[in-house]
Structures are given as structure tokens and as C-alpha cells.
């Protein structure tokens, strides 16, 4: 690694650490306000996800979700908390969280209370439109 690459890497690491700190503050604010009970490890995982999500959003890299997945996660009781966290971070970083990212954060918040197998059992990996096309092709 050249000196320039080392300097860039160091700057990126500092940016990530700053992002993580801001994310941690937002998560803790919403946890306290909404009386959520999250383990320290779970909270740390969410903070890392949020910091990486911010980097992805800034570079227009999104995780695609089917409409069925988004609908399922939006119906979750923790969706409002996910929206609150994202609203705080949107203002701090001057970004917009897409609906799919809100759904993913809701999923993260849900994992603390719901087993993966139970929660994901009702999630469609394919949109209804795609499923209709598959049936028509058969």
C-alpha cells in the first residue's frame, strides 16, 4: 500500500468511525424513547449495518428487496422505530433512506424479538408480478 493509499484508508476508517458514533447516538436515542430492550451486541450490529448503509446510500448502492419483503417488514411493530432512526440519520448525513433500507432496519430490530425462521416464513422472495409470470410460463 502506498502512502497515498494509506492516507485514504486512514481517512475512510475515521469517516466510518464517525458514522458509527452518530448511528450509535441515534439508535440509543430511539431505544430510550421507545423503551426497546436490545442487547449490547445486537445494538452494535445494528450500528455497523447503519454505518455501512449510509456509505451504500451515498454511493447509490442499494439492497433490493421484493415488495412482499418490504410489506412484511413494514407491518412489523418496530417499523416506526426504524423510521425514527432513519429520520435522525437523514438529517445528520443529508441523505434519504429508501423504503427497502427502512424495511431492512425494521428487520434488524425485529430479530431481537422474533426467530428468523418464524419471521421469514411469511416473506415472499419474489414479487406477486413475478410469481404470476412464472405461473403463466409453466
Amino acid at each position: 500500500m502506498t502512502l497515498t493509499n494509506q492516507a485514504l484508508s486512514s481517512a475512510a476508517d475515521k469517516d466510518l468511525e464517525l458514522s458509527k458514533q452518530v448511528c450509535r447516538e441515534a439508535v440509543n436515542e430511539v431505544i430510550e424513547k421507545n423503551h426497546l430492550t436490545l442487547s449490547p451486541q445486537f445494538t452494535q450490529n445494528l450500528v455497523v449495518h447503519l454505518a455501512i448503509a449510509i456509505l451504500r446510500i451515498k454511493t447509490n448502492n442499494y439492497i433490493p428487496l421484493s415488495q412482499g419483503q418490504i410489506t412484511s417488514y413494514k407491518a412489523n411493530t418496530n417499523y416506526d422505530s426504524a423510521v425514527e432512526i432513519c429520520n435522525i440519520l437523514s438529517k445528520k448525513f443529508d441523505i434519504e433512506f429508501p423504503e427497502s433500507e427502512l424495511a431492512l432496519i425494521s428487520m434488524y430490530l425485529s430479530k431481537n424479538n422474533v426467530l428468523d425462521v418464524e419471521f421469514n416464513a411469511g416473506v415472499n422472495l419474489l414479487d406477486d408480478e413475478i410469481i404470476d409470470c412464472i405461473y403463466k410460463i409453466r
Side-chain angles (χ1 to χ4, degrees):
M1 191 182 298
T2 66
L3 184 57
T4 305
N5 287 343
Q6 287 176 334
L8 288 173
S9 178
S10 177
D13 288 346
K14 287 179 185 175
D15 284 347
L16 182 60
E17 284 306 311
L18 178 61
S19 292
K20 284 171 42 181
Q21 181 58 38
V22 172
C23 292
R24 187 174 296 107
E25 290 168 4
V27 168
N28 287 337
E29 180 181 328
V30 173
I31 286 172
E32 186 175 317
K33 178 184 172 205
N34 296 329
H35 308 289
L36 301 174
T37 305
L38 306 175
S39 73
Q41 182 62 44
F42 178 82
T43 302
Q44 179 61 24
N45 290 344
L46 177 58
V47 165
V48 170
H49 169 82
L50 288 165
I52 292 169
I54 290 165
L55 293 174
R56 282 190 292 98
I57 291 167
K58 286 182 174 182
T59 58
N60 293 318
N61 290 312
Y62 301 101
I63 296 176
L65 293 180
S66 72
Q67 195 56 49
Q69 288 172 305
I70 291 171
T71 300
S72 177
Y73 295 135
K74 283 178 80 171
N76 189 288
T77 58
N78 291 315
Y79 185 78
D80 290 340
S81 294
V83 171
E84 286 183 57
I85 292 168
C86 290
N87 284 342
I88 293 167
L89 296 176
S90 289
K91 291 174 187 166
K92 298 271 185 185
F93 292 97
D94 193 31
I95 59 173
E96 286 288 325
F97 282 82
E99 191 175 52
S100 61
E101 195 62 49
L102 289 167
L104 283 172
I105 294 164
S106 177
M107 177 206 63
Y108 263 82
L109 291 172
S110 301
K111 286 200 180 259
N112 194 51
N113 299 318
V114 183
L115 290 174
D116 209 16
V117 173
E118 291 175 7
F119 187 74
N120 287 330
V123 174
N124 296 325
L125 294 177
L126 302 173
D127 287 331
D128 292 338
E129 189 174 323
I130 294 172
I131 291 171
D132 288 344
C133 288
I134 291 171
Y135 283 123
K136 287 176 185 176
I137 293 171
R138 292 187 346 176

